Every structure is written in structure tokens, then in C-alpha cells.
Amino acid sequence: MSSLQQYNPFSKKEAHGQKSVLTYKILTTLSWLLVVVSGFYYSFHAPKEGKYAHRTIFGQNRAIPTPFSPNQVIISIYWIVIWILQGGYVWHLFSKNTDYVTSAANVGSHFIFNNLLTFGWIMLWVRSHFWLSELLLIVNLFNVALLYFRHSNYARFIHIPVVSAPLAFNFFAIFWNGATMVHATTLPARILANIAIWGLLVYGSFFLVAFKDYTIGFELTILTAALGVGQFLTKVIAFQWIFAFVIMSLLFIFTLIIAVPGIFGKDVSFGTRGEVVGEDRERQPLLNDN
């Protein structure tokens, strides 16, 4: 069993050898750059090849406006910030602090897999292969969810850019991609979307209540804000943007209740104020100092 764990790239280890750390340094950096470069490029340039319609990432929104088409500006800012924070995570693999290196390496395999799947999603999305791109999003949701439940209380420099932010976006993107996949532009499709949108509130509330994870609450608040603005600018006379802003407000309020210390007479802040913890401390309940 221990030998299997030794060769399992997704298993948690108390220490990593020099070759293993070097491999993570190379692959995390390259996979991160792959997503950043492709994300920037296809935000402004449509692919020139492909059997189906080929458009930019947000050109798909303009071509096929659905009840889950978000605002381009807010989504772009969301990902620019996340990419910068992910760059900080990658930098920790080069740190002289062994705790930083071990913690960063322990999530490295999931991070690399997430980047490859995100890159694949971009390639398929801009070429209008919506069914395959939806499949990759679902696979990646399981990948990042597994990462979340196995490494849920690492320091914020890992948890936000590597765990919670990709988890929030993948869940949101499944709705976005799925609505585009079925061309949800008819009245029945919009009615179903008016119901499905509340899944964002349920999803966020689960992590807020079960794990007191305010980071995913803030991230879903931003994503629902992007959805609300996008829907308002697309179709003013509709319920979707109203529901999006209601969900955004509720998530923001619930998140503040968890995030702001002392509201209920106790500290419900994240983890242990952001320091890197060892394997024994990692087994403690998520986001709970008490």
C-alpha cells in the first residue's frame, strides 16, 4: 500500500525528493503558462481552423447569448487575478522553506491536471465543440473537488488560486457551457434556467455552512455578479438577471457572516491565518481555529 502511495502523484506526502520537486517546478510552470497564454490569445483571436464555427472565448457569448452568458469584463478580471495568485503559488515551489515546498508540491498534480483540462476546454470552446468541452468541465469539477476535500485547509496562498477559485469557476462554467451547448435561447429553456440558477446559491451555501469557507463564497459572489451584469446587458426584460443579483446579494451576506470575525462571538476566520501547516495540522477540521 505504501509503495502504491509512493508512486501515486495525487497522494499527500510528508516530504518530496529533489527530482519530484524539480518535476513539479517544471510542469506547474509550463501548464500555468499554457493556460495564461491560451486564455489571453483566444480572448482576442478566433482560431482559424475547425469544422464548426470558430470564435473568441467571449465571441461565443455574442454569437449564442444564453441565460448563463456572463459579462466579459468581470470574468476577465476574475481570471487575471487568479492567474496572478497562481503565479504566487508556483513561486512557492522555488522557496527555501521546506514547508512551503511540500505543501505546494502536494497539490501540484491536481493543479497540473486542472490546467491541462482548462486548456482543453478553451481549445474546444472556441471551436464550438460544446459537448466535449462540457465533458472536460465535468471531469475537472471532480478533479478540483477531490483536491478540495483532500487538501481543504491549506494556507490561503494555495487554497484560493489552486483549490477554491477553480472549483467555483468550473461549477459556474458547467452552466455557461451547458446552456450554450443546447442553445438555450427559447422560452422553455429560459424558464429552466430561471430554476437552475438557484443551484449556484445551494452550491455556495454548502461550502459556507459545511466548511465555513468564505473564499468560495466571495468567488461565487463575483461569478454571479458577472452573470447578472451579462444578463442585464443582454435581455433587460427577464428574470435571470434579477435572480442573479438576488443570489449574489445572499451569497455576499452569508459570506460576510462567515468571514467577519466576532459576529457570533467567535473567530470563524480561514484556517490558521494563512500559514503553511504540516500534515498533522492538515487533518484538523477545515477553516476552524477553535
Side-chain angles (χ1 to χ4, degrees), residues 202-266:
V202 174
Y203 187 74
S205 298
F206 168 74
F207 288 98
L208 287 168
V209 173
F211 299 99
K212 294 183 173 61
D213 188 351
Y214 62 78
T215 65
I216 201 167
F218 280 126
E219 289 148 5
L220 285 170
T221 298
I222 296 170
L223 293 172
T224 50
L227 178 58
V229 173
Q231 290 304 300
F232 179 78
L233 296 177
T234 302
K235 196 175 184 65
V236 177
I237 304 177
F239 287 109
Q240 193 74 344
W241 66 268
I242 299 174
F243 291 160
F245 285 130
V246 170
I247 293 169
M248 177 201 72
S249 301
L250 291 173
L251 282 173
F252 184 68
I253 293 171
F254 295 161
T255 301
L256 285 181
I257 292 174
I258 298 298
V260 178
I263 289 183
F264 295 110
K266 63 179 182 178

Side-chain angles (χ1 to χ4, degrees), residues 2 8 15 59 72 171 189 208 222-223:
S2 59
N8 180 7
Q72 173 179 348
F171 186 77
L208 287 168
I222 296 170
L223 293 172

Side-chain angles (χ1 to χ4, degrees), residues 82-223:
I82 297 306
W83 285 335
I84 293 172
L85 293 177
Q86 287 179 344
Y89 154 74
V90 172
W91 176 83
H92 279 82
L93 283 167
F94 297 84
S95 173
K96 294 181 180 179
N97 186 310
T98 56
D99 286 336
Y100 284 1
V101 174
T102 300
S103 297
N106 274 339
V107 301
S109 296
H110 286 283
F111 179 68
I112 295 166
F113 193 35
N114 167 69
N115 287 338
L116 294 177
L117 289 171
T118 302
F119 172 74
W121 174 74
I122 294 173
M123 294 295 103
L124 293 169
W125 169 261
V126 297
R127 291 168 175 79
S128 300
H129 293 283
F130 300 126
W131 289 89
L132 290 176
S133 60
E134 182 79 356
L135 177 61
L136 289 191
L137 286 172
I138 294 172
V139 172
N140 203 15
L141 182 67
F142 280 103
N143 168 54
V144 186
L146 180 62
L147 170 60
Y148 187 97
F149 294 121
R150 296 182 65 191
H151 304 274
S152 55
N153 71 331
Y154 269 166
R156 278 187 289 262
F157 80 83
I158 290 179
H159 185 79
I160 293 174
V162 179
V163 187
S164 66
L167 183 61
F169 178 78
N170 269 274
F171 186 77
F172 174 81
I174 286 174
F175 288 92
W176 177 17
N177 191 112
T180 307
M181 176 181 70
V182 298
H183 290 255
T185 56
T186 63
L187 179 60
R190 287 194 165 273
I191 293 174
L192 288 175
N194 292 159
I195 299 172
I197 191 175
W198 293 95
L200 295 170
L201 178 61
V202 174
Y203 187 74
S205 298
F206 168 74
F207 288 98
L208 287 168
V209 173
F211 299 99
K212 294 183 173 61
D213 188 351
Y214 62 78
T215 65
I216 201 167
F218 280 126
E219 289 148 5
L220 285 170
T221 298
I222 296 170
L223 293 172

Side-chain angles (χ1 to χ4, degrees), residues 52-81:
Y52 302 105
H54 33 277
R55 307 181 180 98
T56 62
I57 293 175
F58 295 102
Q60 296 289 15
N61 271 5
R62 293 186 289 271
I64 312 173
T66 73
F68 283 101
S69 297
N71 176 259
Q72 173 179 348
V73 175
I74 299 177
I75 292 293
S76 297
I77 293 173
Y78 178 91
W79 269 109
I80 289 172
V81 172

